[in-house]
Amino acid sequence: MINKTIEKALNEQINNEIFSAYLYLSMSAHSTYLGLKGFANWFMIQYQEEMEHAMKFYDYINDRGGKVILLTVKQPEGEFDSPLDMFQKTLAHEQFITKCINDLVDLAIEQKDHATQILLQWFVTEQIEEEGNDNEIIAKLQLIGENGNGLLMLDKELSTRIYTPPTKGE
Ligand code: OFO
C-alpha cells in the first residue's frame, strides 16, 4: 500500500508528464505549421514518450493500491520564435522535470518507500538522456544559425526518429 504523501506527489507528477506531452504536441503542431515535418515528427514522438511516462506513474499507483487522481492540465505555449526557441524551451522544461524527479527521490527516501525509489531510478536515468538529446540539437541549431539549407538538413535528420513502444516491464 502506498502512503498518502507519496500518492499525492506521484499524482502531481502524472500531471507534469501529461503537461510535457501537451507542450511537445503543441511544438509538433507549430512545426507542421512552419512546414518542418522532421521537427514535427521529433516532437510527436516526444509527446508519445511523455504519455508513456505518465502511464508508468499511473500503473504504479494502481499496482500499489493507491488512487489515481487526474488534475487540470494547463494550456501549453503555442507560439515560438524559432526552432531554436522551441528546443531551448524544451531543455528548460526537462530541467524542471529533472528537479521534480530528484525531489520525488528525496521524498521517497524520507518516507522510506523503497519501491518508489526503484521506480524513480528509471526516471533519473531517462532525464540524463532527455537533457542530452536537447543539448545536442540546440548545439546543431546554434551552428546552423540563419542557414536555411542547414535547417532543412536537420529537419531531414529529425524525420528519421522512430517511436519504439515500451516492452513489458520497461
Ligand atoms: Fe521528458 O521526461 Fe518525462 O519524465
Side-chain angles (χ1 to χ4, degrees):
M1 189 74 185
I2 200 165
N3 85 34
K4 286 291 159 196
T5 307
I6 295 282
E7 182 190 89
K8 182 169 182 287
L10 296 184
N11 271 316
E12 281 163 9
Q13 191 57 25
I14 291 180
N15 186 261
N16 286 333
E17 300 291 348
I18 293 180
F19 174 76
S20 305
Y22 217 27
L23 176 64
Y24 301 141
L25 187 60
S26 177
M27 289 180 179
S28 183
H30 185 74
S31 302
T32 299
Y33 180 73
L34 294 178
L36 294 169
K37 285 189 178 167
F39 282 79
N41 172 63
W42 195 94
F43 282 115
M44 185 60 80
I45 292 171
Q46 201 60 27
Y47 154 77
Q48 289 170 297
E49 289 196 354
E50 296 302 344
M51 287 307 295
E52 267 172 34
H53 297 171
M55 292 312 291
K56 264 187 202 290
F57 286 110
Y58 177 102
D59 289 339
Y60 177 77
I61 293 173
N62 284 332
D63 287 347
R64 298 271 323 268
K67 174 90 173 79
V68 169
I69 306 281
L70 297 178
L71 307 168
T72 305
V73 183
K74 66 176 192 264
Q75 181 177 5
E77 206 171 329
E79 295 298 332
F80 304 93
D81 295 340
S82 61
L84 179 60
D85 182 41
M86 281 196 288
F87 272 96
Q88 282 170 334
K89 284 177 174 154
T90 297
L91 177 62
H93 182 68
E94 289 303 327
Q95 288 166 338
F96 163 72
I97 294 291
T98 299
K99 184 183 179 313
C100 294
I101 298 293
N102 290 340
D103 289 348
L104 283 170
V105 173
D106 289 344
L107 184 69
I109 291 171
E110 181 198 300
Q111 299 283 318
K112 299 187 171 40
D113 185 338
H114 299 281
T116 300
Q117 286 177 50
I118 291 169
L119 169 83
L120 291 168
Q121 289 315 307
W122 184 91
F123 285 92
V124 170
T125 308
E126 174 71 7
Q127 284 311 113
I128 298 170
E129 192 189 314
E130 296 251 348
E131 289 190 29
N133 290 341
D134 299 339
N135 276 319
E136 195 184 311
I137 297 171
I138 287 171
K140 285 181 183 171
L141 283 165
Q142 279 167 339
L143 275 175
I144 287 167
E146 297 297 312
N147 181 326
N149 281 340
L151 188 64
L152 290 178
M153 275 173 66
L154 180 59
D155 189 58
K156 199 165 176 196
E157 185 187 320
L158 298 184
S159 74
T160 61
R161 185 180 186 193
I162 293 167
Y163 175 65
T164 321
T167 51
K168 193 139 180 60
E170 220 178 54

